[in-house]
mmCIF file of all heavy atoms in Angstrom:
data_model
loop_
_atom_site.group_PDB
_atom_site.id
_atom_site.type_symbol
_atom_site.label_atom_id
_atom_site.label_comp_id
_atom_site.label_asym_id
_atom_site.label_seq_id
_atom_site.Cartn_x
_atom_site.Cartn_y
_atom_site.Cartn_z
ATOM 1 N N ALA Y 1 -1.175 -6.172 -7.756
ATOM 2 C CA ALA Y 1 -1.462 -4.741 -7.603
ATOM 3 C C ALA Y 1 -0.493 -4.088 -6.619
ATOM 4 O O ALA Y 1 0.006 -2.988 -6.859
ATOM 5 C CB ALA Y 1 -2.900 -4.544 -7.134
ATOM 6 N N LEU Y 2 -0.202 -4.749 -5.511
ATOM 7 C CA LEU Y 2 0.706 -4.180 -4.515
ATOM 8 C C LEU Y 2 2.156 -4.185 -5.000
ATOM 9 O O LEU Y 2 2.953 -3.369 -4.551
ATOM 10 C CB LEU Y 2 0.605 -4.965 -3.205
ATOM 11 C CG LEU Y 2 -0.641 -4.683 -2.374
ATOM 12 C CD1 LEU Y 2 -0.735 -5.653 -1.207
ATOM 13 C CD2 LEU Y 2 -0.645 -3.248 -1.865
ATOM 14 N N ALA Y 3 2.470 -5.090 -5.919
ATOM 15 C CA ALA Y 3 3.835 -5.159 -6.433
ATOM 16 C C ALA Y 3 4.095 -4.141 -7.527
ATOM 17 O O ALA Y 3 5.228 -3.982 -7.979
ATOM 18 C CB ALA Y 3 4.121 -6.567 -6.970
ATOM 19 N N SER Y 4 3.047 -3.408 -7.933
ATOM 20 C CA SER Y 4 3.192 -2.504 -9.071
ATOM 21 C C SER Y 4 4.066 -1.305 -8.756
ATOM 22 O O SER Y 4 4.683 -0.730 -9.630
ATOM 23 C CB SER Y 4 1.816 -2.016 -9.536
ATOM 24 O OG SER Y 4 1.184 -1.248 -8.513
ATOM 25 N N GLY Y 5 4.110 -0.854 -7.462
ATOM 26 C CA GLY Y 5 4.936 0.291 -7.082
ATOM 27 C C GLY Y 5 4.415 1.571 -7.690
ATOM 28 O O GLY Y 5 3.236 1.722 -7.998
ATOM 29 N N GLY Y 6 5.325 2.542 -7.882
ATOM 30 C CA GLY Y 6 4.955 3.814 -8.494
ATOM 31 C C GLY Y 6 3.939 4.558 -7.671
ATOM 32 O O GLY Y 6 4.012 4.612 -6.455
ATOM 33 N N ASN Y 7 2.945 5.162 -8.340
ATOM 34 C CA ASN Y 7 1.932 5.955 -7.654
ATOM 35 C C ASN Y 7 0.660 5.161 -7.394
ATOM 36 O O ASN Y 7 -0.359 5.725 -7.043
ATOM 37 C CB ASN Y 7 1.600 7.201 -8.487
ATOM 38 C CG ASN Y 7 2.750 8.165 -8.516
ATOM 39 O OD1 ASN Y 7 3.452 8.317 -7.534
ATOM 40 N ND2 ASN Y 7 2.959 8.808 -9.649
ATOM 41 N N GLY Y 8 0.690 3.831 -7.600
ATOM 42 C CA GLY Y 8 -0.486 3.021 -7.391
ATOM 43 C C GLY Y 8 -0.578 2.500 -5.972
ATOM 44 O O GLY Y 8 -0.141 3.152 -5.010
ATOM 45 N N LEU Y 9 -1.135 1.299 -5.838
ATOM 46 C CA LEU Y 9 -1.344 0.726 -4.512
ATOM 47 C C LEU Y 9 -0.025 0.439 -3.798
ATOM 48 O O LEU Y 9 0.064 0.585 -2.574
ATOM 49 C CB LEU Y 9 -2.176 -0.547 -4.638
ATOM 50 C CG LEU Y 9 -3.588 -0.361 -5.200
ATOM 51 C CD1 LEU Y 9 -4.254 -1.706 -5.429
ATOM 52 C CD2 LEU Y 9 -4.427 0.496 -4.266
ATOM 53 N N GLY Y 10 0.988 0.027 -4.563
ATOM 54 C CA GLY Y 10 2.284 -0.222 -3.941
ATOM 55 C C GLY Y 10 2.881 1.039 -3.340
ATOM 56 O O GLY Y 10 3.394 1.028 -2.217
ATOM 57 N N GLY Y 11 2.794 2.156 -4.071
ATOM 58 C CA GLY Y 11 3.273 3.424 -3.539
ATOM 59 C C GLY Y 11 2.476 3.889 -2.346
ATOM 60 O O GLY Y 11 3.021 4.473 -1.399
ATOM 61 N N MET Y 12 1.171 3.634 -2.367
ATOM 62 C CA MET Y 12 0.310 3.991 -1.243
ATOM 63 C C MET Y 12 0.734 3.228 0.016
ATOM 64 O O MET Y 12 0.818 3.800 1.107
ATOM 65 C CB MET Y 12 -1.148 3.640 -1.603
ATOM 66 C CG MET Y 12 -2.196 4.172 -0.658
ATOM 67 S SD MET Y 12 -3.835 3.512 -1.087
ATOM 68 C CE MET Y 12 -3.992 4.026 -2.805
ATOM 69 N N ARG Y 13 1.038 1.941 -0.149
ATOM 70 C CA ARG Y 13 1.466 1.131 0.999
ATOM 71 C C ARG Y 13 2.775 1.652 1.593
ATOM 72 O O ARG Y 13 2.909 1.747 2.823
ATOM 73 C CB ARG Y 13 1.634 -0.323 0.556
ATOM 74 C CG ARG Y 13 2.117 -1.246 1.674
ATOM 75 C CD ARG Y 13 2.284 -2.665 1.200
ATOM 76 N NE ARG Y 13 3.266 -2.759 0.132
ATOM 77 C CZ ARG Y 13 3.617 -3.913 -0.446
ATOM 78 N NH1 ARG Y 13 3.038 -5.031 -0.069
ATOM 79 N NH2 ARG Y 13 4.524 -3.933 -1.412
ATOM 80 N N GLU Y 14 3.731 1.996 0.725
ATOM 81 C CA GLU Y 14 5.012 2.483 1.221
ATOM 82 C C GLU Y 14 4.858 3.811 1.963
ATOM 83 O O GLU Y 14 5.526 4.054 2.964
ATOM 84 C CB GLU Y 14 5.991 2.640 0.055
ATOM 85 C CG GLU Y 14 6.366 1.323 -0.619
ATOM 86 C CD GLU Y 14 6.863 0.289 0.372
ATOM 87 O OE1 GLU Y 14 7.712 0.643 1.214
ATOM 88 O OE2 GLU Y 14 6.394 -0.859 0.303
ATOM 89 N N ARG Y 15 3.982 4.684 1.480
ATOM 90 C CA ARG Y 15 3.764 5.965 2.169
ATOM 91 C C ARG Y 15 3.159 5.731 3.546
ATOM 92 O O ARG Y 15 3.554 6.371 4.521
ATOM 93 C CB ARG Y 15 2.849 6.851 1.339
ATOM 94 C CG ARG Y 15 2.689 8.258 1.932
ATOM 95 C CD ARG Y 15 1.694 9.087 1.153
ATOM 96 N NE ARG Y 15 2.006 9.096 -0.250
ATOM 97 C CZ ARG Y 15 1.177 8.702 -1.207
ATOM 98 N NH1 ARG Y 15 -0.018 8.249 -0.895
ATOM 99 N NH2 ARG Y 15 1.522 8.761 -2.468
ATOM 100 N N LEU Y 16 2.200 4.829 3.644
ATOM 101 C CA LEU Y 16 1.600 4.535 4.942
ATOM 102 C C LEU Y 16 2.640 3.980 5.914
ATOM 103 O O LEU Y 16 2.607 4.283 7.108
ATOM 104 C CB LEU Y 16 0.451 3.536 4.778
ATOM 105 C CG LEU Y 16 -0.820 4.089 4.126
ATOM 106 C CD1 LEU Y 16 -1.737 2.953 3.703
ATOM 107 C CD2 LEU Y 16 -1.555 5.029 5.086
ATOM 108 N N ARG Y 17 3.560 3.188 5.417
ATOM 109 C CA ARG Y 17 4.603 2.614 6.279
ATOM 110 C C ARG Y 17 5.471 3.697 6.906
ATOM 111 O O ARG Y 17 5.975 3.530 8.022
ATOM 112 C CB ARG Y 17 5.480 1.660 5.463
ATOM 113 C CG ARG Y 17 4.854 0.294 5.219
ATOM 114 C CD ARG Y 17 5.794 -0.570 4.403
ATOM 115 N NE ARG Y 17 5.279 -1.929 4.249
ATOM 116 C CZ ARG Y 17 5.861 -2.862 3.506
ATOM 117 N NH1 ARG Y 17 6.989 -2.571 2.856
ATOM 118 N NH2 ARG Y 17 5.332 -4.063 3.399
ATOM 119 N N LEU Y 18 5.684 4.785 6.197
ATOM 120 C CA LEU Y 18 6.493 5.870 6.742
ATOM 121 C C LEU Y 18 5.886 6.427 8.023
ATOM 122 O O LEU Y 18 6.589 7.012 8.850
ATOM 123 C CB LEU Y 18 6.634 6.994 5.718
ATOM 124 C CG LEU Y 18 7.430 6.675 4.449
ATOM 125 C CD1 LEU Y 18 7.424 7.872 3.520
ATOM 126 C CD2 LEU Y 18 8.857 6.260 4.785
ATOM 127 N N TYR Y 19 4.585 6.263 8.184
ATOM 128 C CA TYR Y 19 3.883 6.777 9.364
ATOM 129 C C TYR Y 19 3.426 5.637 10.284
ATOM 130 O O TYR Y 19 2.515 5.805 11.075
ATOM 131 C CB TYR Y 19 2.693 7.634 8.934
ATOM 132 C CG TYR Y 19 3.138 8.934 8.299
ATOM 133 C CD1 TYR Y 19 3.494 8.983 6.962
ATOM 134 C CD2 TYR Y 19 3.269 10.086 9.063
ATOM 135 C CE1 TYR Y 19 3.952 10.165 6.383
ATOM 136 C CE2 TYR Y 19 3.715 11.267 8.498
ATOM 137 C CZ TYR Y 19 4.055 11.293 7.150
ATOM 138 O OH TYR Y 19 4.516 12.458 6.591
ATOM 139 N N GLY Y 20 4.086 4.492 10.157
ATOM 140 C CA GLY Y 20 3.768 3.357 11.009
ATOM 141 C C GLY Y 20 2.463 2.686 10.660
ATOM 142 O O GLY Y 20 1.934 1.903 11.459
ATOM 143 N N GLY Y 21 1.937 2.972 9.480
ATOM 144 C CA GLY Y 21 0.652 2.412 9.070
ATOM 145 C C GLY Y 21 0.819 1.167 8.215
ATOM 146 O O GLY Y 21 1.923 0.725 7.905
ATOM 147 N N ARG Y 22 -0.312 0.612 7.821
ATOM 148 C CA ARG Y 22 -0.292 -0.578 6.983
ATOM 149 C C ARG Y 22 -1.491 -0.539 6.039
ATOM 150 O O ARG Y 22 -2.500 0.120 6.311
ATOM 151 C CB ARG Y 22 -0.320 -1.855 7.834
ATOM 152 C CG ARG Y 22 -1.541 -2.007 8.705
ATOM 153 C CD ARG Y 22 -1.360 -3.147 9.710
ATOM 154 N NE ARG Y 22 -2.581 -3.416 10.465
ATOM 155 C CZ ARG Y 22 -2.944 -2.730 11.533
ATOM 156 N NH1 ARG Y 22 -2.181 -1.740 11.983
ATOM 157 N NH2 ARG Y 22 -4.059 -3.049 12.168
ATOM 158 N N LEU Y 23 -1.351 -1.247 4.943
ATOM 159 C CA LEU Y 23 -2.392 -1.308 3.923
ATOM 160 C C LEU Y 23 -2.766 -2.757 3.678
ATOM 161 O O LEU Y 23 -1.887 -3.611 3.501
ATOM 162 C CB LEU Y 23 -1.892 -0.664 2.625
ATOM 163 C CG LEU Y 23 -2.874 -0.650 1.453
ATOM 164 C CD1 LEU Y 23 -4.021 0.316 1.734
ATOM 165 C CD2 LEU Y 23 -2.161 -0.260 0.157
ATOM 166 N N GLU Y 24 -4.053 -3.024 3.690
ATOM 167 C CA GLU Y 24 -4.548 -4.368 3.393
ATOM 168 C C GLU Y 24 -5.538 -4.270 2.234
ATOM 169 O O GLU Y 24 -6.353 -3.348 2.175
ATOM 170 C CB GLU Y 24 -5.228 -4.977 4.624
ATOM 171 C CG GLU Y 24 -4.297 -5.153 5.818
ATOM 172 C CD GLU Y 24 -5.035 -5.602 7.068
ATOM 173 O OE1 GLU Y 24 -6.282 -5.718 7.005
ATOM 174 O OE2 GLU Y 24 -4.377 -5.816 8.102
ATOM 175 N N ILE Y 25 -5.450 -5.232 1.321
ATOM 176 C CA ILE Y 25 -6.332 -5.257 0.154
ATOM 177 C C ILE Y 25 -6.965 -6.629 0.047
ATOM 178 O O ILE Y 25 -6.283 -7.657 0.127
ATOM 179 C CB ILE Y 25 -5.554 -4.940 -1.132
ATOM 180 C CG1 ILE Y 25 -5.010 -3.519 -1.086
ATOM 181 C CG2 ILE Y 25 -6.437 -5.116 -2.356
ATOM 182 C CD1 ILE Y 25 -4.161 -3.164 -2.277
ATOM 183 N N ALA Y 26 -8.267 -6.642 -0.117
ATOM 184 C CA ALA Y 26 -8.999 -7.883 -0.357
ATOM 185 C C ALA Y 26 -9.727 -7.737 -1.687
ATOM 186 O O ALA Y 26 -10.522 -6.815 -1.869
ATOM 187 C CB ALA Y 26 -10.004 -8.161 0.768
ATOM 188 N N SER Y 27 -9.426 -8.634 -2.629
ATOM 189 C CA SER Y 27 -10.041 -8.534 -3.945
ATOM 190 C C SER Y 27 -9.832 -9.836 -4.696
ATOM 191 O O SER Y 27 -8.956 -10.635 -4.371
ATOM 192 C CB SER Y 27 -9.440 -7.371 -4.739
ATOM 193 O OG SER Y 27 -10.057 -7.257 -6.013
ATOM 194 N N ALA Y 28 -10.643 -10.009 -5.692
ATOM 195 C CA ALA Y 28 -10.494 -11.094 -6.651
ATOM 196 C C ALA Y 28 -11.215 -10.648 -7.909
ATOM 197 O O ALA Y 28 -12.135 -9.822 -7.845
ATOM 198 C CB ALA Y 28 -11.095 -12.400 -6.112
ATOM 199 N N PRO Y 29 -10.791 -11.140 -9.062
ATOM 200 C CA PRO Y 29 -11.446 -10.723 -10.301
ATOM 201 C C PRO Y 29 -12.960 -10.909 -10.241
ATOM 202 O O PRO Y 29 -13.468 -11.973 -9.910
ATOM 203 C CB PRO Y 29 -10.811 -11.653 -11.349
ATOM 204 C CG PRO Y 29 -9.450 -11.952 -10.799
ATOM 205 C CD PRO Y 29 -9.647 -12.030 -9.315
#
């Protein structure tokens, strides 16, 4: 999910990084 990029979770993580933030995801099917 994080490797998907674009406007999904990967894009969300990159935007947070611009502001010194970080994104963590915990999930399993």
Side-chain angles (χ1 to χ4, degrees):
L2 284 172
S4 64
N7 291 324
L9 297 173
M12 191 187 304
R13 178 181 61 179
E14 295 307 313
R15 186 184 308 123
L16 288 166
R17 282 180 175 175
L18 293 178
Y19 290 83
R22 61 191 186 277
L23 180 70
E24 298 173 357
I25 296 176
S27 181

